[in-house]
Amino acid sequence: MVTAGSWPDRTIRITDPADPRIAEFTAMRDRDLAGRGDRFIAEGRVVLQALTDVLDDAGSGRGEARFVIEKVLFLENRIEGLGDLIDRLDADCPVYVAGREVLDAAVGFAMHRGILALGRHLPPPSLGGFLEGLPDQALVVVACGIANHDNVGGIFRNAGVFGADAVVLDQSCCDPLYRKAIRVSVGAALRVPFCRGGSILALVGELVSHGFEVVGLSPRGAEELSRFQPGRRQVLLLGTEGEGLPEELLNALATLRIEQAPGLDSLNVATTSGIALWHIAKTMGRIGR
Amino acid sequence: MVTAGSWPDRTIRITDPADPRIAEFTAMRDRDLAGRGDRFIAEGRVVLQALTDVLDDAGSGRGEARFVIEKVLFLENRIEGLGDLIDRLDADCPVYVAGREVLDAAVGFAMHRGILALGRHLPPPSLGGFLEGLPDQALVVVACGIANHDNVGGIFRNAGVFGADAVVLDQSCCDPLYRKAIRVSVGAALRVPFCRGGSILALVGELVSHGFEVVGLSPRGAEELSRFQPGRRQVLLLGTEGEGLPEELLNALATLRIEQAPGLDSLNVATTSGIALWHIAKTMGRIGR
């Protein structure tokens, strides 16, 4: 129970699961907010922490403002431990609190961990501007046609762990701000700056014109990953599982293969990104001693 | 439709979803055959192919008999393309065929891909005997406390891709022959020999007594992965996500960490296995030129 005086006045108690002020959270039961423009649901302490870290960085001038938190909804018995996070929210961000019965009825039993935020992504105005904001030595992951939210989430998680500067997604990739993708990324979909849209050919052209060397990963790649020497601005290009990268693109680019045992077994694309990012970040001197 | 004469006489048509001859497949809707001893469901062409490959290898003396296929159930419009697989089944393995309505009613809509097999695992009698059967130069993955079927499936997939000789699972790991684990492993849970059971301390003791060098992976590991020189018989030890390996074990073993960017972000355990196996298999000269 939240007792009087023990919590700041800004919490607003919700007692009706159908209260319109929490309608966006209610809707996630059915639609996961897919296709709702740039709004997304962040859930759990780790993910909300990632989101407020990004906002703090923007507030202190260490990064672009990439997100807005529009409202939060907490289970009442979680709120005592969330004081530090609540203090970091904008003053005009409503903090809704509900008991377990109301929350379960509103968003579905066990579909939340008592910590929910409704965020809005502020996408970069253009890929060109986005790329100009990247450092002189840079590592960028480009994904083409990744349709699976686990895989997109896993690629972001690895981009975060190995310190990639950005992720660029072509128009056929799924949304990294879909709930499951954020969860699988352990918040990295919020931490790692990204840009979405455009055909893969257009994206590669723009990257090359910004001084990036582009290498594509493929089981039929020409060079072994362990022998690869990355450039100063390096793009790692990943294709969809199964099909892989389009043949015309592979023919036009430098390509790498991850060494493996003989046979037809293939790696998962998120695992592929982890192996390649580890090697490339290490060779670029970005990780390790 | 299967027309008379176009298919071998051994197919048996099922017209009642409640037919007791397919009861094991029906049960998977609710329980996924978890906890049913050594029986498991293999689904899809790739997985059934992996299973029959293993059986063929055993039949031709290139491996132990590790599995039996007890029965198969196919959607009628898939069967024309399965002749080669059916010819490789034991003569006493029933081949059941059903129409879509019967199959959907029996096993649940969209829970199958028209290709299902009921298998039985023949576990190795002892870990000692299992280890004695491994080659002189060997790479073994040992997993401790992996409770998530996606992660166990991913670890097997990577073990297969990088040619590990075996996987050993402690008693607290989940079942790699659970449907989802087999599916995520893309059949590698069937291809890569494995042994289950025992405490992690007992397993490590047994491995050491069989000449294996054991190295544990941990974010707090003493040595960087890229500097690691594996032994002739090498064990790669993986702990559960979150908790990681038990402290007492880490203190007693050589330990590795995967180099990463500063911060608290962590890798998924399946991805971890992929990165470490790639590096170790390469350093052992087992993959690449």
Side-chain angles (χ1 to χ4, degrees):
Chain A
M1 282 294 294
V2 177
T3 53
S6 76
W7 197 256
D9 298 336
R10 68 187 291 189
T11 60
I12 303 158
R13 176 160 290 271
I14 300 289
T15 54
D16 175 6
D19 191 316
R21 292 174 295 180
I22 60 163
E24 297 91 343
F25 299 106
T26 308
M28 79 185 195
R29 181 209 290 258
D30 303 313
R31 302 205 33 229
D32 261 12
L33 283 183
R36 296 199 161 214
D38 295 312
R39 285 202 171 68
F40 63 92
I41 298 283
E43 58 180 326
R45 191 184 173 95
V46 170
V47 169
L48 185 57
Q49 181 91 44
L51 191 52
T52 50
D53 286 350
V54 172
L55 295 175
D56 284 356
D57 282 353
S60 62
R62 275 172 291 148
E64 296 291 313
R66 299 192 289 114
F67 298 106
V68 174
I69 301 184
E70 297 195 335
K71 53 182 75 173
V72 294
L73 173 59
F74 299 139
L75 183 66
E76 62 185 357
N77 68 14
R78 297 298 303 266
I79 202 161
E80 292 287 349
L82 293 172
D84 56 327
L85 278 174
I86 293 174
D87 289 343
R88 293 160 68 190
L89 297 172
D90 279 349
D92 61 352
C93 172
V95 178
Y96 298 112
V97 179
R100 178 164 292 278
E101 279 184 30
V102 173
L103 203 58
D104 286 353
V107 304
F109 177 69
M111 278 191 62
H112 63 82
R113 303 177 218 180
I115 298 177
L116 294 163
L118 178 71
R120 185 157 47 86
H121 184 218
L122 309 172
S126 73
L127 177 61
F130 179 74
L131 296 178
E132 275 153 33
L134 296 179
D136 183 41
Q137 196 223 49
L139 175 55
V140 173
V141 178
V142 177
C144 170
I146 310 293
N148 176 299
H149 291 104
D150 289 273
N151 286 335
V152 162
I155 290 168
F156 268 90
R157 184 172 181 178
N158 295 335
V161 166
F162 296 119
D165 297 289
V167 173
V168 175
L169 304 166
D170 85 331
Q171 62 202 9
S172 64
C173 280
C174 65
D175 185 0
L177 299 180
Y178 185 88
R179 274 179 79 212
K180 178 133 198 236
I182 296 178
R183 202 165 56 222
V184 169
S185 82
V186 198
L190 304 171
R191 289 189 196 273
V192 181
F194 71 89
C195 191
R196 282 188 82 189
S199 74
I200 190 64
L201 291 174
L203 296 180
V204 167
E206 186 95 27
L207 284 153
V208 168
S209 79
H210 281 82
F212 278 92
E213 294 176 36
V214 179
V215 73
L217 269 173
S218 164
R220 305 181 304 285
E223 192 184 354
E224 292 188 339
L225 173 64
S226 64
R227 293 162 191 260
F228 177 63
Q229 291 296 326
R232 187 159 178 76
R233 305 198 104 192
Q234 184 65 51
V235 164
L236 177 66
L237 178 58
L238 301 164
T240 181
E241 280 203 71
E243 298 287 306
L245 290 165
E247 202 65 31
E248 60 176 317
L249 201 57
L250 287 177
N251 292 336
L253 291 175
T255 54
L256 295 179
R257 66 179 186 279
I258 294 176
E259 299 91 327
Q260 66 170 78
L264 297 174
D265 293 342
S266 73
L267 285 166
N268 164 272
V269 65
T271 304
T272 296
S273 76
I275 296 171
L277 282 169
W278 176 67
H279 176 76
I280 293 174
K282 202 160 42 71
T283 310
M284 290 174 86
R286 295 165 68 104
I287 58 171
R289 278 181 300 211
Chain B
M1 283 294 291
V2 178
T3 53
S6 74
W7 197 258
D9 297 337
R10 67 186 290 190
T11 61
I12 303 158
R13 177 160 290 270
I14 301 289
T15 54
D16 175 5
D19 191 316
R21 291 173 295 180
I22 60 163
E24 297 92 342
F25 298 107
T26 308
M28 78 186 196
R29 182 209 290 259
D30 304 314
R31 303 204 33 229
D32 262 11
L33 283 183
R36 295 198 164 214
D38 294 312
R39 285 200 170 70
F40 63 92
I41 297 284
E43 58 180 328
R45 192 187 170 92
V46 170
V47 169
L48 184 55
Q49 181 91 46
L51 190 51
T52 50
D53 286 350
V54 172
L55 295 176
D56 285 354
D57 281 353
S60 62
R62 274 174 293 149
E64 295 292 313
R66 299 192 290 112
F67 298 105
V68 174
I69 302 183
E70 297 194 337
K71 51 182 77 174
V72 294
L73 173 59
F74 298 140
L75 183 65
E76 61 185 356
N77 68 15
R78 297 298 303 266
I79 202 163
E80 292 288 348
L82 293 172
D84 56 327
L85 278 173
I86 293 174
D87 289 342
R88 292 161 67 188
L89 297 172
D90 280 347
D92 61 350
C93 171
V95 178
Y96 298 111
V97 178
R100 178 165 291 280
E101 278 185 29
V102 173
L103 202 59
D104 286 354
V107 304
F109 177 69
M111 278 190 65
H112 62 82
R113 304 177 216 180
I115 298 176
L116 293 163
L118 178 70
R120 184 157 49 86
H121 184 218
L122 308 173
S126 73
L127 177 61
F130 180 73
L131 296 177
E132 276 153 31
L134 295 178
D136 183 41
Q137 196 222 49
L139 176 55
V140 172
V141 178
V142 178
C144 170
I146 310 292
N148 175 299
H149 291 104
D150 288 274
N151 286 336
V152 161
I155 289 168
F156 269 89
R157 184 173 181 177
N158 295 334
V161 166
F162 295 119
D165 296 289
V167 174
V168 175
L169 304 166
D170 85 330
Q171 64 201 9
S172 65
C173 280
C174 64
D175 185 359
L177 299 181
Y178 185 86
R179 275 180 79 212
K180 180 136 196 231
I182 296 178
R183 202 165 58 222
V184 169
S185 83
V186 199
L190 304 171
R191 289 189 195 274
V192 181
F194 71 89
C195 191
R196 282 188 83 190
S199 74
I200 190 64
L201 292 174
L203 296 181
V204 167
E206 185 95 28
L207 284 153
V208 168
S209 79
H210 281 82
F212 279 92
E213 294 177 33
V214 180
V215 72
L217 270 173
S218 163
R220 306 181 304 284
E223 191 184 355
E224 292 188 340
L225 173 64
S226 63
R227 293 162 191 263
F228 176 62
Q229 290 297 326
R232 185 156 179 79
R233 306 197 104 192
Q234 184 65 51
V235 164
L236 177 66
L237 178 58
L238 301 165
T240 181
E241 282 202 71
E243 298 286 307
L245 289 165
E247 203 65 31
E248 60 176 320
L249 201 57
L250 288 177
N251 292 336
L253 291 175
T255 54
L256 295 179
R257 66 179 185 279
I258 294 176
E259 300 91 328
Q260 65 169 80
L264 297 175
D265 292 341
S266 73
L267 285 167
N268 163 271
V269 66
T271 304
T272 296
S273 76
I275 297 170
L277 283 169
W278 175 66
H279 176 75
I280 293 174
K282 202 159 42 68
T283 310
M284 291 175 85
R286 296 165 67 103
I287 57 171
R289 278 181 301 210

